[in-house]
Amino acid sequence: MDSFDDTALALTRFGVGQPVSRMEDPILLRGKGSYTDDQNLSGQAHAVMVRSKIAHGILKGIDGTEAAKMPGVLAILTYADLEAAGFGPMKCAMNIPQRDGSPMKTPPRHSLAKDRVRYVGEAVACVVAETAVQAKDAAEVVELDIEELPAVTTPAQALAAGAPQIHDEAPGNLALDFHYGDAEAVKKAFAAAAHVTRLDIVSNRIVVNPMEPRSAIGNVENGRWVLRVGCQGVMGLRGGLARDVLNTTPDKVRVLTGNVGGSFGMKSQVYPEYGPLLLAAKKLGRPVKWTDERSESFLSDHHGRDHQRVAELALDKDGRFLAVRLSGTGNAGAYIYPPMPATTNAVKNLIDVYATPAMEVNSKVVFTNTTPLAAYRGAGRPEGNYYMERLIDTAAREMGIDRAELRRRNHIKPGAMPYKAPSGMNYDSGEFTTVLDKALVAADWDGFEKRKAESARSGKLRGRGIGQYLEVTGPPSKEYGGIRFEADGSITMLSGTLDYGQGHATPFAQVLGEKLGIPVPRFRLLQGDSDQLEVGGGTGGSKSALVASQAFLEAGDKLIEQGRQIAAHVLEAAVVDIEFHRGRFVIAGTDRGITILELAEKLRKGLTLPPDIPQSLDVSHISDNPPFSFPNGCHVAEVEIDSDTGTIEVVRYFMVNDFGTVINPMLVAGQAHGGVVQGIGQALMECARYDEQGQPITGSYMDYALPRATDAPGFSVENHSVPCKTNRLGVKGCGEAGCAGALPSVVNAVVDALSPYGVKHIDMPVTPEKVWRLLNGER
C-alpha cells in the first residue's frame, strides 16, 4: 500500500470523476469469488423443493412415504411442519389504499402450500437428504393429490364474470383498484383538446434470468437463525424473515451475503424456500443447502413487467400537452409483492420530462394463476417513460409535427426548476432540451436519409427512434455509513446497500477517499453481514450511489472531527487550531501535522488518549437519506428490418444521460450498456407465456429468447451532467436508466421503419414472426 501514499497523485488518479477499474474484478475473473453455491458448511445436508405441476387446484394430500425410504433422505417437510413450528406466512410490505379508501387485498403466502396450489412451480414440500442428487431423486417420488381447478393467466380472464376465485380474501381476483390524479381536470382537458392520441399498449412479462440462480444455506448457530443467501440487502431480508416467517425479533436472525451474480430486483424479497431450509436445519441440527436449477428458476423466481394499458394524450392545436391518462391492468400473478406491478411508479414516471398540466392513472392489480410478479430493473419506471414516449411519437405522426420538435415544445424548461409535477414529484434540476439536441447531434440525425437509402438498396427497411426518459429514484430511507480502521492498515467501509454486480466498492472508495485524502486501494467494502450493520435500505431504485455517498460524506465529517481532537492531543495543540486538508491534520499557520493514516497507526500501536476525547477514528453513522433524484436522458436507436424475414437488427445506438455528478464514468457506462441490452431484449424477443391450463410454455432457453452479444449494437455514451441539488455530491443514479431509454427508442425506431406500411403501433416483443406477418398482411 505504501506506493499509493502520495496523496496528491492518488486523488488525481482515483478521485471522484475518474474511470477507476473495479476492485473486485481481478478476484471474480480468476474464479475466486464466493457466491452462495460456492459455500459449503461442515455436515451440511441438501434440499430440493417439490413443486406443483398444476396451476390451480385443491391440495388434498401429500404422500412422502416411499420417498422417505429412499437412500440418504433425512426429512420431508410440509406446511404442517411449518405451522407446528410457529412459522408464519410471507406478507406484502406495501399497503396502498384502494380507490374507495379501503385497504388493498394482501392474502398470505405460505412458504409451503397449505390447502391449495395457485401456480405451476409453487413449493408444496421440501425434501432433505445427504446429497443434492438423493434429495432430487426423492422429491420426484413424492406424490401430490391435487384436485385440478380452472386456471386464469391474464387479468382479462381473471376479472371476467364467473372466473375461478384464486383467493377468498380477494373477491373477483382484484388485489387493488388504484386511482391517482385529478379526474375532473383531466376530463375537461380531454374535452377541450384539439387532438387526442390513444394507444392500447402492453409491457410484456419478463423472466428475470440473473447469471447466478438463487441459492441459500439455512443453519442455527449459537441459538440464532442464520441464512446465507444472495439478496439485495441483508437488513431488509433479516427484517422480513424475522417479522413474517420466523415470528421472532431481528436480533435472533443473521443474514450473510457474499458475492451476488445479478438480481435486477428479483432477489430482494423473502422467498418460500428460506423458511423450510431454516426449519430443516433446526430439526436436523445441521446446515441445509438448496440451489435452484435454471429450469426451476423459470417457475420459482418472481417475474417482471406484465401490464396492459390504454394510454391517452390530449394536445391543443399547437401540440402543447394538456393532460395524460393511463388506464388498465397489471398482472400480479398468484401472490402480491411490491411494486404490485408498478402502479405507483407509473404515476411517478409517466410525466417524463414534459410540462403536462394534468394526469390520471387508473390501474387494477389482478391475481392470476401465474408466477408472482415483483421488481425488475426499473419496476415501472421504464414503463412509465415508454407509454409517454410512444404517445408522443404517435401524436407527432398524427398531427404532422416533427417528433423532435414536439418534444422540445413541451419540455420542462430549466428556468421552471424546481418544478412540481402533477405526479407529486418535485424536479430539482434538468436541461431536457439540451440533452435531446446533444443526442440528435451524436446520432447524426440529419444524415439518416442517406443511411435509409443504403439500407433500401440492400432490401432492408430502416427506422430511427427517440426515447427520452426521466426516472424517479427509490424512496428516501435511512442508510448506514460506517468506517473502520483494521489491524492490517486497510479501512473497511460499512454500508447497508448491497452490490449484486454494480461494483460499489470502487465508487464508494472514490467518494470517501477524496473526502479523507486516503488512497482508494486502502479501502474494503462490507455490506453482507447483518450483524455488522445497524440499518440498511439495500440496493434498488437506482439510489445506492446517492444514499451511500451521502452517508459516507457525513461519516467522513464525523471522522475528521474525531481526528481533530486526537490530533490535537498528539500534536500538543488546541483543537480549534487543528485544520484538515487532503488527509492531513495540521496546526494552523505551521507545517506541523500528522496524516489520518499515521494517526491510525499510532492508535493501532496503543496510543493512550485522555478519556474525554474520542478513543478511535472508527465511525458508525446512520444517515437520513436525501429526497428523490431525477436521472434523465435521451437515447436514439436505429434499426434495420429484413423485409423478407422480419428480422430486426439494432444497428446504431446513442445516448446522452444526465446522471448528475458522475463518480466513475466507466462504471456508469457499464450500467447503461447492461440496461440497454435488457431493454432491447424486452422490446424485441423476451416474453413469458402460458397456455390455457396455466402451464408455462416458455420454460427454458429453448423457448425463451435472451439477447446475446451479437444482438447488441455498438454504444455511444455521453454524459451531460447537471448536478442534483438535493444531495451533497449531486448524484442522480443510473442503474435502471438503460431500460428506460431503450424500450421507447427501439420500439419507436421499429414503428418508424414500418410506417410506410401503415403501422402506427406494434406491441413488444416485436419478433420477426410478428413483423413478417404484418408485412405480408399489408401486402
Side-chain angles (χ1 to χ4, degrees):
M1 295 184 185
D2 293 341
S3 61
F4 291 99
D5 285 346
D6 183 335
T7 302
L9 175 62
L11 294 183
T12 300
R13 291 176 55 192
F14 298 104
V16 170
Q18 298 302 310
V20 182
S21 296
R22 303 196 325 170
M23 293 180 181
E24 66 271 28
D25 284 352
I27 297 171
L28 299 180
L29 291 171
R30 291 198 302 267
K32 301 296 184 182
S34 180
Y35 298 88
T36 305
D37 191 53
D38 294 325
Q39 301 169 31
N40 294 289
L41 305 184
S42 176
Q44 76 183 14
H46 295 264
V48 168
M49 302 298 150
V50 179
R51 301 188 183 276
S52 174
K53 297 179 181 178
I54 292 174
H56 194 200
I58 298 171
L59 180 58
K60 303 180 76 172
I62 304 170
D63 187 354
T65 306
E66 294 303 315
K69 299 175 184 177
M70 296 182 67
V73 174
L74 301 169
I76 300 175
L77 302 183
T78 66
Y79 168 77
D81 298 289
L82 298 174
E83 184 182 40
F87 281 28
M90 296 164 286
K91 300 171 185 174
C92 179
M94 297 180 74
N95 196 347
I96 298 173
Q98 306 260 17
R99 181 188 298 267
D100 62 6
S102 63
M104 60 178 282
K105 308 300 182 182
T106 57
R109 181 185 185 185
H110 298 284
S111 295
L112 298 173
K114 180 181 179 182
D115 50 17
R116 184 180 290 197
V117 294
R118 294 178 170 88
Y119 70 99
V120 173
E122 182 163 10
V124 177
C126 174
V127 177
V128 185
E130 294 288 354
T131 70
V133 171
Q134 289 172 333
K136 187 174 183 180
D137 287 344
E140 292 175 352
V141 176
V142 174
E143 295 184 1
L144 304 181
D145 183 5
I146 299 175
E147 179 184 328
E148 190 166 3
L149 299 173
V152 288
T153 62
T154 69
Q157 293 172 350
L159 292 173
Q165 183 73 30
I166 298 173
H167 294 282
D168 293 339
E169 299 89 340
N173 298 317
L174 186 61
L176 174 66
D177 184 5
F178 175 81
H179 175 265
Y180 177 89
D182 188 335
E184 189 60 32
V186 169
K187 181 179 178 180
K188 289 180 179 178
F190 272 85
H195 182 83
V196 173
T197 290
R198 183 182 186 278
L199 285 174
D200 292 296
I201 194 165
V202 170
S203 180
N204 37 316
R205 177 180 281 243
I206 298 296
V207 179
V208 177
N209 286 308
M211 291 181 69
E212 177 205 22
R214 289 189 300 116
S215 180
I217 306 171
N219 201 16
V220 179
E221 300 173 12
N222 300 316
R224 299 171 70 209
W225 303 103
V226 179
L227 186 71
R228 291 168 172 83
V229 64
C231 67
Q232 291 188 201
V234 294
M235 300 304 283
L237 194 68
R238 183 187 74 162
L241 274 172
R243 179 186 64 247
D244 299 336
V245 177
L246 301 174
N247 281 321
T248 189
T249 54
D251 61 293
K252 301 295 194 300
V253 182
R254 185 182 190 185
V255 175
L256 294 166
T257 296
N259 295 118
V260 182
S263 173
F264 313 112
M266 183 270 290
K267 294 177 183 175
S268 61
Q269 307 292 337
V270 176
Y271 272 87
E273 295 84 4
Y274 305 158
L277 291 178
L278 290 166
L279 180 58
K282 182 178 182 180
K283 282 179 170 289
L284 298 173
R286 57 196 289 193
V288 179
K289 180 178 184 178
W290 164 83
T291 299
D292 228 350
E293 294 184 349
R294 184 62 71 179
S295 58
E296 188 179 10
S297 70
F298 269 77
L299 307 176
S300 64
D301 291 354
H302 296 159
H303 291 177
R305 311 294 196 232
D306 205 347
H307 315 143
Q308 306 75 35
R309 307 294 192 199
V310 176
E312 300 169 282
L313 181 64
L315 306 92
D316 69 13
K317 62 182 179 60
D318 298 316
R320 304 281 181 185
F321 300 167
L322 302 176
V324 61
R325 183 164 55 204
L326 196 64
S327 307
T329 57
N331 190 339
Y335 298 95
I336 198 80
Y337 279 90
M340 289 187 318
T343 297
T344 55
N345 280 340
V347 169
K348 294 174 185 175
N349 293 270
L350 180 62
I351 291 298
D352 203 345
V353 297
Y354 307 104
T356 310
M359 70 175 293
E360 182 181 8
V361 175
N362 299 282
S363 181
K364 292 184 176 181
V365 180
V366 184
F367 291 112
T368 65
N369 296 117
T370 61
T371 297
L373 266 287
Y376 172 68
R377 199 167 192 163
R381 298 171 180 87
E383 295 96 308
N385 288 285
Y386 173 65
Y387 303 144
M388 182 60 105
E389 292 294 307
R390 283 294 301 123
L391 283 169
I392 292 170
D393 254 35
T394 305
R397 186 167 285 112
E398 290 173 347
M399 297 183 73
I401 302 173
D402 177 81
R403 66 191 108 168
E405 173 55 29
L406 186 59
R407 288 173 168 86
R408 291 189 192 98
R409 198 172 293 179
N410 288 282
H411 279 153
I412 301 163
K413 307 304 180 188
M417 302 294 178
Y419 178 79
K420 179 68 176 288
S423 61
M425 296 292 101
N426 291 293
Y427 298 1
D428 67 284
S429 59
E431 297 175 355
F432 309 134
T433 301
T434 300
V435 167
L436 168 64
D437 290 341
K438 279 191 170 185
L440 297 181
V441 170
D444 186 24
W445 187 260
D446 292 340
F448 173 76
E449 292 302 327
K450 180 180 179 181
R451 295 189 294 276
K452 183 177 181 179
E454 292 171 353
S455 297
R457 287 193 288 272
S458 301
K460 295 182 178 180
L461 307 172
R462 194 179 190 105
R464 57 182 174 175
I466 297 171
Q468 284 209 258
Y469 70 89
L470 178 140
E471 285 200 301
V472 182
T473 56
S477 60
K478 293 187 181 296
E479 191 49 78
Y480 188 61
I483 305 171
R484 190 170 67 205
F485 288 78
E486 307 291 0
D488 64 356
S490 65
I491 303 167
T492 298
M493 306 174 291
L494 297 99
S495 174
T497 60
L498 201 140
D499 181 348
Y500 46 90
Q502 291 87 348
H504 285 172
T506 303
F508 292 0
Q510 289 177 261
V511 170
L512 196 52
E514 184 171 281
K515 171 75 176 178
L516 300 177
I518 296 175
V520 164
R522 287 268 184 179
F523 291 98
R524 304 291 180 266
L525 178 62
L526 190 152
Q527 300 170 304
D529 183 353
S530 62
D531 276 5
Q532 299 194 54
L533 307 175
E534 294 187 24
V535 298
T539 290
S542 297
K543 65 182 176 67
S544 290
L546 186 156
V547 300
S549 66
Q550 184 99 345
F552 281 128
L553 288 173
E554 292 171 358
D557 290 338
K558 288 188 173 183
L559 189 155
I560 290 169
E561 180 53 35
Q562 291 172 198
R564 288 180 67 242
Q565 296 180 59
I566 298 170
H569 170 75
V570 171
L571 297 174
E572 299 178 328
V575 174
V576 295
D577 292 330
I578 300 297
E579 298 177 345
F580 179 79
H581 179 65
R582 302 194 79 168
R584 195 163 186 261
F585 297 100
V586 180
I587 301 174
T590 76
D591 60 358
R592 289 186 60 218
I594 186 170
T595 68
I596 287 181
L597 297 177
E598 290 168 343
L599 206 57
E601 180 66 19
K602 286 182 177 292
L603 290 166
R604 279 196 297 273
K605 291 180 177 179
L607 175 67
T608 301
L609 297 171
D612 60 341
I613 70 171
Q615 301 296 298
S616 168
L617 291 172
D618 294 352
V619 172
S620 179
H621 175 66
I622 297 175
S623 173
D624 288 319
N625 283 177
F628 298 104
S629 70
F630 303 93
N632 61 89
C634 181
H635 294 200
V636 179
E638 288 189 20
V639 302
E640 279 191 335
I641 300 176
D642 188 315
S643 55
D644 292 328
T645 65
T647 302
I648 303 168
E649 181 182 0
V650 182
V651 291
R652 287 163 58 89
Y653 203 98
F654 302 85
M655 53 186 125
V656 176
N657 301 303
D658 173 12
F659 296 140
T661 299
V662 174
I663 300 172
N664 187 315
M666 181 169 62
L667 270 63
V668 164
Q671 286 290 302
H673 291 175
V676 168
V677 172
Q678 285 184 288
I680 291 172
Q682 181 179 359
L684 300 183
M685 56 195 76
E686 296 185 57
C687 190
R689 302 181 188 277
Y690 292 84
D691 68 12
E692 293 180 356
Q693 287 74 45
Q695 293 293 329
I697 56 176
T698 49
S700 75
Y701 292 138
M702 295 295 290
D703 314 295
Y704 186 95
L706 279 179
R708 304 184 180 207
T710 53
D711 297 308
F715 297 110
S716 170
V717 183
E718 183 178 339
N719 292 314
H720 178 80
S721 297
V722 181
C724 179
K725 296 180 180 179
T726 59
N727 63 79
R728 285 179 58 171
L729 201 59
V731 297
K732 291 185 177 177
C734 70
E736 296 157 325
C739 279
L743 296 183
S745 64
V746 171
V747 175
N748 280 340
V750 170
V751 173
D752 183 55
L754 297 174
S755 61
Y757 294 86
V759 175
K760 293 183 178 180
H761 179 68
I762 185 168
D763 272 324
M764 304 183 292
V766 188
T767 61
E769 178 186 359
K770 191 180 291 187
V771 172
W772 183 87
R773 290 183 181 279
L774 188 151
L775 290 175
N776 280 272
E778 288 290 331
R779 289 172 180 169

